[in-house]
């Protein structure tokens, strides 16, 4: 199902915005390579992660699958990751060259936590904490500059303190991260009626 969705975004046109939103579990191997853990992961694939590189046909989805799909997608591209070790989605790859090279088609990355942090669940909101905070931030009150739109940056800036306030301090830190060129940071996500 993940591979089918990644193939689907290849249909994006230059005027489109392609969004990949991952909310599940994430895990990194000893070399720092991130894997998305889908709902139908096989136990033997998780156990094999400690024994070396993930084999072909594994139910784990490597970080490279997401970046390869986004690299071949036209238009604005947004990857949102709400999993544990979310910042490790970059693996040993440096996303900044993709960001720099993509001025015309623009790429942004929003992640729930740093690579060494757990992304917490938020049972009252029935979501992961970062997902809950993003949903709450998609509100007219997040229009900090009062220009009539809530931008990607404004949503992130409204969500970040909510994550800090609601996180379980006993579990540890959860520090959302954003990597986005200025033009994409101003992408309107919500129009505010006046």
């Amino acid at each position: 199902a993940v591979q089918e969705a990644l193939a689907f975004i290849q249909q994006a046109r230059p005027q489109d915005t392609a969004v990949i939103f991952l909310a599940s579990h994430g895990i990194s191997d000893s070399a720092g390579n991130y894997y998305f853990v889908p709902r139908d992961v096989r136990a033997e694939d998780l156990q094999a992660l400690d024994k070396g590189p993930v084999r072909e046909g594994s139910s784990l989805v490597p970080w490279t699958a997401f970046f390869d799909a986004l690299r071949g997608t036209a238009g604005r591209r947004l990857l949102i990751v709400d999993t544990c070790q979310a910042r490790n989605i970059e693996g040993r790859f440096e996303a900044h060259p993709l960001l720099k090279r993509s001025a015309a088609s623009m790429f942004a990355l929003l992640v729930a936590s740093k690579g060494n942090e757990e992304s917490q669940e938020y049972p009252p909101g029935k979501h992961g904490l970062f997902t809950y905070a993003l949903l709450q931030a998609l509100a007219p009150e997040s229009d900090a500059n009062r220009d009539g739109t809530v931008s990607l940056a404004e949503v992130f800036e409204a969500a970040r303190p909510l994550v800090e306030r609601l996180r379980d301090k006993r579990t540890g830190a959860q520090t959302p991260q954003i990597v986005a060129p200025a033009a994409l940071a101003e992408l309107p996500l919500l129009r505010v009626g006046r």
Side-chain angles (χ1 to χ4, degrees):
V2 172
Q3 297 299 340
E4 291 170 9
L6 293 177
F8 175 76
I9 69 166
Q10 301 299 305
Q11 298 173 38
R13 299 166 302 185
Q15 67 271 23
D16 293 336
T17 300
V19 178
I20 297 176
F21 189 98
L22 303 173
S24 184
H25 297 284
I27 191 167
S28 298
D29 65 15
S30 59
N33 294 303
Y34 171 93
Y35 296 91
F36 179 70
V37 181
R39 174 183 57 166
D40 58 351
V41 69
R42 293 185 302 266
E44 61 268 17
D45 291 335
L46 288 170
Q47 293 163 351
L49 195 59
D50 292 335
K51 297 180 176 88
V54 170
R55 62 178 167 69
E56 185 72 29
S58 172
S59 60
L60 296 168
V61 183
W63 62 272
T64 52
F66 302 105
F67 281 91
D68 289 347
L70 288 167
R71 198 177 286 122
T73 300
R76 296 170 300 269
R77 298 158 296 157
L78 176 58
L79 176 59
I80 303 171
V81 184
D82 188 0
T83 70
C84 291
Q85 303 176 10
R87 183 61 182 180
N88 284 351
I89 189 123
E90 288 184 34
R92 290 181 291 179
F93 168 77
E94 181 57 49
H96 295 286
L98 177 60
L99 295 166
K100 186 176 178 182
R101 190 177 69 238
S102 300
S105 57
M106 296 189 282
F107 170 75
L109 175 65
L110 271 74
V111 295
S113 63
K114 291 181 178 177
N116 61 345
E117 296 175 347
E118 298 301 314
S119 295
Q120 299 180 19
E121 292 295 317
Y122 187 60
K126 299 180 182 171
H127 289 288
L129 179 55
F130 184 60
T131 298
Y132 176 79
L134 287 176
L135 291 170
Q136 296 305 303
L138 281 168
E141 299 77 36
S142 297
D143 183 13
N145 63 5
R146 306 289 182 242
D147 67 352
T149 64
V150 178
S151 70
L152 177 63
E154 287 172 322
V155 166
F156 180 79
E157 289 305 320
R160 194 167 39 126
L162 186 57
V163 168
E164 179 57 30
R165 184 168 53 83
L166 296 177
R167 75 179 171 85
D168 182 344
K169 310 305 188 256
R170 297 167 298 175
T171 302
Q174 180 173 338
T175 314
Q177 309 279 297
I178 185 171
V179 180
L184 190 52
E186 295 311 313
L187 175 70
L189 298 180
L190 177 70
R191 300 229 186 265
V192 178
R194 297 269 180 221

